Each structure stands twice: as structure tokens, then as C-alpha cells.
Amino acid sequence: MKELFLLLKKGSKSAFLASIVNAVISIIKGIAYVMTGNVAMFAETMHSLGDTANQFFVFIGSALSKKAPTKRFPNGFGRLVNLVLLGAVLVVGVMAYETIVEGYHHILHPVESKGFIINVIVLAIAVILEAFVLFKAMKETLHDVGIHAQGLGIITKSFANVNKAKPATKLVFLEDSVATGGGLLALIAVVISEFTLFHQAEGIASIIIGLLMFFVVGKIFLDNTAGVLGEADEYMQDKIGSLVLEDPDVKDIPEIAVLKEGDEFHVEIKIEVDPTISLATADDIKDRLEEKIIKEKGVTDVIVEFDEDDNFSSWDNREKSKDD
């Protein structure tokens, strides 16, 4: 029990916060939907319920992925977060389908909803809370990628670097971006329906929200399928390769592989050195490089191999090799 508690403390804080906030929001929206029958509110209720379940599973998965390797699983549990995310998006997929179906029915048979003031207040509160969680996810995104920003820079730089964030952080970021936008869309639809005869606006908003949810499902599914298979991280390859080449004893890097498993990076690198150096010197180079690479955020293990310098720069010509 104590071990489980310690693991949970290592889980994604943004996912945990998002699950709590979305649980509160879904309850408020659900009550408002029962009171008013507003289909846009139904869409938002389903959206928040899906996000709650999804983000809670993400929190659990990100925590369990930190479990230390065992004899049965010597490579650790880094990819567990990807597996949990694959299961979690199924929940959102079902919610998205129900949201689209309900919106379609409302377009065919539009019904004027009640409780305009209740709907506006609830949706406004929900948008504020979702925006708060989204801002937290933005800051955690920047923390994941090691970028410092202030003011509007937090927004612009987080959107520019979200694909480099941890899987759990990325999911919360995407889901709450859609949730914030969906809440605003539902709010607009409620206002249009109230002050015009175009009651189909709520159904259209419901369908758009459902499609946005499917976008998140597709994006997260593809990203985490790659994570389960074991995906090479080119950004980290370039970063670590450049770091290693700063060492005066490293002549070239003919091979480098940085495999991303969940939140962890596994590095295998072959370096070329002067063939006349002693075994003791080579051992010192290996220790020095391993110590330097392991300090990079997320790197859990490093394998360094040696080869003699062939007087050809494989590292400088790597882009040309990719094109060929």
C-alpha cells in the first residue's frame, strides 16, 4: 500500500488536477442539462465526463509507469502510460459518438430549451475552470521541454512545443484546449438559440464538439500507438548527439538511437575515437559521457559503444543519408 501511494505521488499532476476539475464540471453540467434539456449542455456534460475518466486513467498510468524494473519486466514499465492512454481514448470515443448522435437528432427535431440564465452561468464557470486547467497544462508542457516563459509567451511557446511534452501532459493539454473551445462554442449556441428561432444551433454545436473530441481521440491514439511500439525521438537524438560531440575525445557519431518509452528515454550511441588511446582512457571517456547524458531530463539508461575514427563525418552527413 505504501509503495502504491509513493508511485501515485509521481503521477502527472496536471492529469490529476484536470480529473478533479472535470469531475466537478461534469456534475454541474449534468444537473443543468436535467433542469433545462439543452442539447449543447448534454454535449458538454458528455465531454466533461469523458475527460474526467480519461484524465484519471492517465494519472494512474503515468504513476504506475514509474515503477522500478523487476525480474519479470527488466525493461521497466515506461510504456504502460501509452497502453493506458490507448484504453482511455476509447472512453472519449464513445462519448464523442453519443454527442454527435444527440446533436444530429436535435437538428432534425429542434426543441427550444429552457433555463437560459442557468445554461449561461454554468457554461461560463466551466470555461473559466477549463481555461485554468489548460493554463496549468501549458506551464507543465514548458516544464517538460525545459523552456522558461512568462506572460503571453507561456501560451505561444506551449502550443509550439506541446508535441515534445510527456504523453500525459500532451493529452491534458489537447483535451482542455478542446474543452475550453467547446465550452465557448456551446455558450454561443445557447445565446443564438435563445435570441433567434435558429434552435438547430445547439445541435450543430453538439456535433462540432463531438468532432473535436474525435480529433483528440485520433491524435492521442496515433501518438501512443507509436509509443507502445517504441518510437525514436529525433529531437533528443540531435540534442544528445550535439552534447556528446562537445567532448574533445569524440571524433564522430556514426550511430545514435534514442528510444522513447512513456516518459523515459533509452540512449544507445556509438562514438568514434582515436584508435591509439588506451583502454583506461576509453573507460574514462565512457564514464564521462554516460554521466553527462544521464543528466538530460527523462534519460534513464545509456549504452556507449566505441569504434575507431574513419576520418569521415557521419554526423555531419546524417541529413544527406536520410534523404538518400
Side-chain angles (χ1 to χ4, degrees):
M1 192 68 181
K2 182 179 179 181
E3 182 184 358
L4 178 60
F5 178 74
L6 291 175
L7 280 175
L8 291 177
K9 287 180 67 176
K10 298 178 182 178
S12 170
K13 293 180 176 61
S14 61
F16 182 65
L17 175 63
S19 66
I20 293 175
V21 171
N22 276 296
V24 174
I25 292 174
S26 62
I27 292 172
I28 296 173
K29 287 178 180 177
I31 294 172
Y33 167 67
V34 171
M35 294 175 64
T36 65
N38 184 284
V39 71
M41 187 63 74
F42 170 80
E44 280 298 289
T45 302
M46 297 297 280
H47 191 175
S48 294
L49 281 172
D51 285 354
T52 300
N54 211 355
Q55 289 158 354
F56 179 73
F57 284 127
V58 170
F59 166 68
I60 297 298
S62 66
L64 295 180
S65 68
K66 304 295 192 302
K67 183 177 173 60
T70 63
K71 289 183 178 180
R72 186 177 180 184
F73 301 102
N75 291 327
F77 298 84
R79 299 188 193 188
L80 186 59
V81 65
N82 299 112
L83 288 171
V84 171
L85 285 169
L86 284 176
V89 295
L90 295 177
V91 176
V92 182
V94 172
M95 299 293 184
Y97 171 77
E98 293 295 335
T99 299
I100 292 173
V101 169
E102 188 67 23
Y104 176 71
H105 289 161
H106 188 79
I107 291 175
L108 294 180
H109 309 287
V111 178
E112 183 178 0
S113 59
K114 302 176 182 178
F116 171 71
I117 300 299
I118 294 175
N119 287 327
V120 169
I121 291 174
V122 169
L123 287 172
I125 292 173
V127 168
I128 292 171
L129 291 175
E130 294 284 11
F132 169 74
V133 175
L134 176 58
F135 185 71
K136 289 287 188 181
M138 289 178 176
K139 294 179 74 173
E140 187 156 341
T141 295
L142 296 179
H143 180 265
D144 287 352
V145 298
I147 295 176
H148 177 72
Q150 292 181 335
L152 290 176
I154 295 175
I155 298 174
T156 57
K157 290 184 179 180
S158 61
F159 271 98
N161 293 278
V162 64
N163 285 329
K164 301 174 187 175
K166 295 178 181 179
T169 306
K170 187 192 297 187
L171 181 138
V172 174
F173 187 103
L174 291 175
E175 285 195 338
D176 279 285
S177 295
V178 170
T180 303
L184 289 171
L185 184 63
L187 190 57
I188 293 170
V190 167
V191 173
I192 291 174
S193 181
E194 176 68 19
F195 293 103
T196 71
L197 296 177
F198 188 56
H199 302 307
Q200 291 92 337
E202 295 174 5
I204 293 173
S206 181
I207 289 177
I208 294 174
I209 291 169
L211 291 174
L212 288 172
M213 292 167 70
F214 268 127
F215 166 76
V216 173
V217 168
K219 176 66 175 172
I220 298 300
F221 179 81
L222 291 175
D223 286 352
N224 286 280
T225 299
V228 169
L229 295 175
E231 182 181 21
D233 192 297
E234 292 189 6
Y235 171 77
M236 286 296 288
Q237 285 179 356
D238 290 341
K239 184 177 181 181
I240 292 173
S242 299
L243 184 69
V244 169
L245 282 174
E246 292 176 359
D247 192 290
D249 290 313
V250 177
K251 305 300 182 182
D252 191 20
I253 302 176
E255 295 178 20
I256 181 172
V258 180
L259 189 66
K260 187 174 184 180
E261 295 186 354
D263 299 339
E264 301 175 349
F265 294 103
H266 303 274
V267 181
E268 294 185 17
I269 185 168
K270 178 183 287 187
I271 61 173
E272 291 183 358
V273 296
D274 186 336
T276 63
I277 64 172
S278 66
L279 184 60
T281 302
D283 190 57
D284 288 341
I285 296 172
K286 178 177 179 293
D287 292 340
R288 187 166 66 238
L289 292 178
E290 287 180 349
E291 183 179 356
K292 184 182 291 187
I293 295 172
I294 207 72
K295 289 180 180 178
E296 287 296 310
K297 192 175 183 65
V299 175
T300 56
D301 63 86
V302 182
I303 298 176
V304 178
E305 298 179 3
F306 289 89
D307 200 358
E308 63 180 86
D309 185 15
D310 60 4
N311 296 312
F312 174 78
S313 180
S314 300
W315 181 258
D316 290 337
N317 289 278
R318 67 191 187 284
E319 292 301 327
K320 184 178 179 180
S321 298
K322 290 179 184 178
D323 295 337
D324 294 340

